[in-house]
Amino acid sequence: MEAEGRVQDWHLLGHSMGGGLVLATAGLRSHLATRLVSLTVFEPNLFCLLAAGSEEEKEMARVGEEFFDNMLAAAQRDDLDAWGETFYQFWFTGDWSCIDEGARAKLVNTTLPNTIHEIQALKWTMEQGQEYAEMLLRNLSAVKGRKRFILSHDPGPGSQNISIAMANLLRREAGFEVLSAPAGGHMGPITHPQLVLPLLVH
């Protein structure tokens, strides 16, 4: 559609990995800067951007990389419980050991194997280093449309600080507005759609 010139204005929005893809799309395709009417992300996981930030933000990038490494190590060992627990304790509140077996199995089955490929792609972006992150931020800064970063109301213990660091970086370097959802955790757009979705599509 873009090649045919049928779409003049774009709205990009994404959640989690989808949010990371939105940031990567706008960050890599600089010619979209004048076409994007809005760019909205809910707790995106493109943690490589933090490599272009302050020392504290760079430390948060290392936290994200450690999370990715732990996930991939669990997958390589075929340790499904460790995979689920690592994912859960990063993004969600509560104790993995208190989750019933059916819910555990559902989380594992809905994240494997696709999330392995997603994490490998995210690891690649981190390996590109600071200059790559700075290039993405420059292009995100050039986007003229409304830019919004949404934090969950109930973040997971692993993701809380890194999500705040991402929000602060994008606010400072790329002009994002930062909002907090009124309810829900990382899956707030699904668990609390009436409260959270208006922030994404407004």
Side-chain angles (χ1 to χ4, degrees), residues 4 9 16 18 47 54-55 64 71 80 82 86 98 100 105 117 122 127 146 150 156 163-164 176 182-183:
E4 295 172 6
D9 299 323
S16 195
F47 300 144
S54 66
E55 288 305 313
M71 291 292 290
L80 301 186
T86 302
C98 297
D100 68 73
H117 307 309
L122 291 165
E127 291 164 1
R146 188 201 69 204
I150 302 169
S163 293
I164 291 172
F176 276 66

Side-chain angles (χ1 to χ4, degrees), residues 12-171:
L12 295 182
L13 62 93
H15 161 253
S16 195
M17 184 65 188
L21 287 171
V22 162
L23 293 176
T25 299
L28 290 170
R29 308 194 72 174
S30 58
H31 65 285
L32 292 180
T34 58
R35 288 189 176 185
L36 287 175
V37 176
S38 68
L39 194 164
T40 307
V41 291
F42 188 102
E43 293 192 333
N45 59 7
L46 193 65
F47 300 144
C48 71
L49 293 174
L50 293 165
S54 66
E55 288 305 313
E56 291 80 7
E57 288 161 346
K58 289 176 181 175
E59 179 58 34
M60 284 292 102
R62 289 187 280 272
V63 170
E65 189 165 23
E66 181 180 9
F67 166 62
F68 294 150
D69 287 340
N70 290 339
M71 291 292 290
L72 292 175
Q76 187 172 24
R77 298 192 309 269
D78 202 26
D79 188 339
L80 301 186
D81 191 64
W83 168 275
E85 182 175 12
T86 302
F87 187 90
Y88 187 88
Q89 298 296 159
F90 188 83
W91 289 115
F92 303 105
T93 59
D95 191 333
W96 174 253
S97 64
C98 297
I99 306 300
D100 68 73
E101 298 234 350
R104 289 194 203 183
K106 185 173 183 180
L107 186 148
V108 170
N109 292 335
T110 56
T111 54
L112 286 171
N114 292 341
T115 302
I116 295 175
H117 307 309
E118 294 171 357
I119 292 174
Q120 289 170 335
L122 291 165
K123 280 277 293 178
W124 181 88
T125 66
M126 302 190 91
E127 291 164 1
Q128 305 316 297
Q130 183 173 337
E131 289 186 7
Y132 182 79
E134 289 171 348
M135 176 271 293
L136 293 175
L137 280 175
R138 282 195 303 272
N139 289 337
L140 288 168
S141 178
V143 172
K144 303 305 181 186
R146 188 201 69 204
K147 293 171 281 191
R148 181 175 284 186
F149 188 113
I150 302 169
L151 294 161
S152 70
H153 185 269
D154 302 309
S159 62
Q160 180 173 15
N161 290 337
I162 197 169
S163 293
I164 291 172
M166 286 278 290
N168 288 337
L169 176 72
L170 285 166
R171 174 166 47 195

